[in-house]
Each structure stands twice: as structure tokens, then as C-alpha cells.
């Protein structure tokens, strides 16, 4: 997972990973991949045509509702297409399992929007206007019992799965400290999701460069099972590969 604030280059950084790539675009950010240039004036992603984009957008605008009486069991209008988008996601994942010529990398951009769609789907499926306590149990089951296990199975067939996410913030009332963590279906799930992942990095802009923080950075608890150096600069797969290749070479020399 690559988590960070808005406009910190997460989408472009994720697109530097090996091609061919399948890119699930929930946020409409793919145009930045085609157009972003580095300090040298060259495209950061010159091989962007090797990326298959799958768009998950709502098909039309909906009427704005300013209703304040939420007691009536009626789902808001904006939930109407959420179930169809989730079905499109499921069909796209199944296709990746079935096709022979698989991509090397899958990117999902972003989990923030995916989790919002899940909440909308609960409202639409149950025809309710507000989430209930029991609905958060459903979200937890979907996250830990369906969504992540499916990606782990798929990861055995691909080289990389990159999940893009944003940052949530909360206060630990017991310790009195501020905590930062990835956005989840709820704050509690966001605080625990990192335990399910091999790598969780925070992407930041520092001194004009985008970097990956692989260890605790400020209030954010990043983590690397590969014990990668911190920071990785610039935040690109090209730099990551240099680090891994050097580590492999040093390991071979020691042998």
C-alpha cells in the first residue's frame, strides 16, 4: 500500500511498476500518468501505453439532495450505481484470474473511493439512509474475509499489487497522542489494515521530491517486511529495483 495526502504523486509513482499493468481507476487520475514530466522534462512514465486502464466511474450525475429528515428508510440517490460499479470490479478481478496473459502489476486507485462505494452499496442494498452499527460488521467481513484474501490469491499470479490510499487521523484517548493511518471502511479498520499487507509506505513530498517512507514517519506507522531503507528517493520502482538488485548482489558476494 502506498498511502499519502492528496497531490503527493501516488498515482504516478504506482505507474512506474513493471508492465504490462492493469490499472483500476476509481478516481479519474490516469491522465496524470500520461502527462507528468520529471525535472529533466521527460515523461516519468514513457511506457504508459502498456497500461490497461479499467475505469470505475458513475455513469451520470445525480440530483443533489438536501434532505435533513433521515428517519425514512430511503437510500440516497447517489447510491444507485454503487452496486453496479462493485459488480464491475468483481468481474474485472475474475477476468484477471482467468486470462492466460496476465499483467505483471495491478494498481487499485484508490481504496478511499472503494470503501466509500462499499458504504453506498450497503445503503442501496438495504434501502436505508444511514449506516447502522451492524453494517460496520458487514464492512469488516467484506474487507478481511473477501476483498484482501482475494487479492492475496491473485498476488500469487502477479508480481505486484499496489493499493493507493489516503491518510486518516485520530486521537488515542488513552495515550493522548495523535495517530495517522490509512483510510479504511472505518477508522478502526484503517488502523489495522497494515497488518494484512507486505509493505505499507507513506508517500510524501520532501524538498521538492516525492519519497516513500518505509518506516514510521511522524504520526504514521509505515512498515516494510523486506526491511527496505527509509526513505526511498525518488518514489519510483526504478529506484526500488536498484535497491533490491544491490541487496541481491551484496548477498551473492557474501556467499
Amino acid at each position: 500500500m502506498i498511502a499519502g495526502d492528496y497531490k503527493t504523486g501516488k498515482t504516478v509513482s504506482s505507474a512506474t511498476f513493471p508492465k504490462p499493468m492493469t490499472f483500476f481507476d476509481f478516481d479519474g487520475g490516469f491522465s496524470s500518468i500520461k502527462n507528468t514530466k520529471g525535472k529533466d522534462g521527460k515523461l516519468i512514465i514513457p511506457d504508459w501505453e502498456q497500461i490497461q486502464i479499467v475505469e470505475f466511474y458513475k455513469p451520470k450525475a445525480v440530483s443533489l439532495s438536501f434532505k435533513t429528515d433521515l428517519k425514512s428508510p430511503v437510500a440516497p440517490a447517489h447510491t444507485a450505481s454503487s452496486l453496479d460499479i462493485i459488480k464491475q470490479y468483481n468481474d474485472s478481478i475474475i477476468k484477471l484470474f482467468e486470462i492466460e496473459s496476465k499483467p505483471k502489476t495491478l494498481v487499485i486507485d484508490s481504496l478511499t473511493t472503494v470503501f466509500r462505494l462499499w458504504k453506498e452499496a450497503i445503503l442501496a442494498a438495504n434501502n436505508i439512509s444511514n449506516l447502522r452499527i451492524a453494517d460496520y460488521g458487514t464492512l469488516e467481513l467484506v474487507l478481511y474475509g473477501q476483498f484482501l484474501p482475494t487479492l492475496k490469491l491473485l498476488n500469487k499470479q502477479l508480481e505486484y499489487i499496489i493499493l493507493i490510499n489516503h491518510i486518516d487521523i485520530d486521537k488515542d484517548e488513552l495515550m493522548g497522542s495523535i495517530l495517522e493511518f490509512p483510510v479504511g471502511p472505518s477508522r478502526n479498520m484503517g488502523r489495522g489494515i497494515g497488518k494484512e499487507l507486505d509493505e505499507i509506505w507513506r508517500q510524501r513530498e520532501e524538498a521538492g521530491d516525492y519519497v516513500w517512507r518505509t518506516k514510521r514517519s511522524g504520526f504514521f506507522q509505515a512498515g516494510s517486511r523486506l526491511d527496505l531503507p527509509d526513505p526511498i528517493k525518488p518514489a519510483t520502482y526504478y529506484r526500488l529495483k536498484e535497491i533490491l538488485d544491490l541487496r541481491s548482489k551484496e548477498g551473492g558476494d557474501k556467499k
Side-chain angles (χ1 to χ4, degrees):
M1 178 184 289
I2 300 173
D5 298 322
Y6 289 92
K7 304 299 182 182
T8 52
K10 300 181 298 297
T11 297
V12 173
S13 290
S14 72
T16 64
F17 277 76
K19 317 298 186 301
M21 172 186 290
T22 297
F23 192 97
F24 285 5
D25 189 0
F26 287 89
D27 291 352
F30 189 77
S31 60
S32 63
I33 292 174
K34 296 190 295 183
N35 300 313
T36 301
K37 297 180 180 179
K39 293 180 179 179
D40 58 1
K42 298 179 180 179
L43 288 175
I44 295 178
I45 317 294
D47 54 354
W48 64 266
E49 292 184 343
Q50 297 182 47
I51 302 175
Q52 179 193 17
I53 179 174
V54 183
E55 298 179 332
F56 296 89
Y57 304 154
K58 293 185 177 179
K60 61 181 180 180
V62 297
S63 299
L64 299 178
S65 175
F66 298 92
K67 184 177 181 181
T68 55
D69 179 12
L70 299 178
K71 295 180 181 179
S72 56
V74 178
H78 69 272
T79 66
S81 59
S82 55
L83 289 169
D84 291 335
I85 297 175
I86 290 173
K87 182 180 185 304
Q88 180 192 354
Y89 167 84
N90 290 338
D91 292 343
S92 299
I93 287 289
I94 291 171
K95 183 179 178 181
L96 288 177
F97 276 106
E98 295 176 341
I99 59 175
E100 291 186 9
S101 180
K102 299 186 188 302
K104 292 183 178 180
T105 303
L106 168 65
V107 175
I108 300 179
D109 185 12
S110 67
L111 288 192
T112 311
T113 301
V114 170
F115 296 151
R116 188 180 300 125
L117 283 169
W118 290 2
K119 294 177 182 178
E120 291 182 5
I122 287 179
L123 298 180
N126 295 280
N127 199 34
I128 55 178
S129 55
N130 268 341
L131 291 179
R132 304 155 298 187
I133 293 176
D135 295 323
Y136 286 93
T138 300
L139 289 169
E140 187 172 19
L141 177 62
V142 171
L143 176 64
Y144 293 114
Q146 297 172 278
F147 180 75
L148 291 176
T150 299
L151 292 182
K152 289 178 181 179
L153 284 174
L154 185 60
N155 196 42
K156 294 180 180 179
Q157 303 179 35
L158 309 183
E159 292 185 19
Y160 296 96
I161 294 179
I162 310 297
L163 307 175
I164 299 177
N165 206 349
H166 296 92
I167 302 292
D168 202 351
I169 188 168
D170 199 8
K171 182 177 181 180
D172 189 319
E173 297 297 339
L174 183 62
M175 303 298 293
S177 58
I178 300 297
L179 300 174
E180 292 181 329
F181 44 85
V183 169
S186 70
R187 282 182 169 172
N188 282 338
M189 283 180 263
R191 291 169 69 165
I193 194 173
K195 300 175 183 178
E196 304 293 322
L197 306 172
D198 292 325
E199 302 285 321
I200 176 167
W201 309 333
R202 176 160 191 178
Q203 182 149 343
R204 300 176 61 99
E205 182 179 3
E206 298 180 4
D209 292 310
Y210 294 132
V211 304
W212 286 326
R213 287 289 185 175
T214 63
K215 296 178 174 57
R216 184 179 178 94
S217 174
F219 299 120
F220 187 84
Q221 187 66 52
S224 170
R225 296 186 191 273
L226 293 176
D227 194 26
L228 293 169
D230 178 74
I232 296 177
K233 174 183 175 180
T236 67
Y237 173 76
Y238 318 126
R239 177 55 184 152
L240 175 63
K241 188 173 186 304
E242 289 177 354
I243 293 170
L244 295 176
D245 288 348
L246 179 60
R247 177 179 292 181
S248 178
K249 181 178 183 300
E250 290 175 345
D253 292 341
K254 291 178 182 178
K255 292 178 182 179

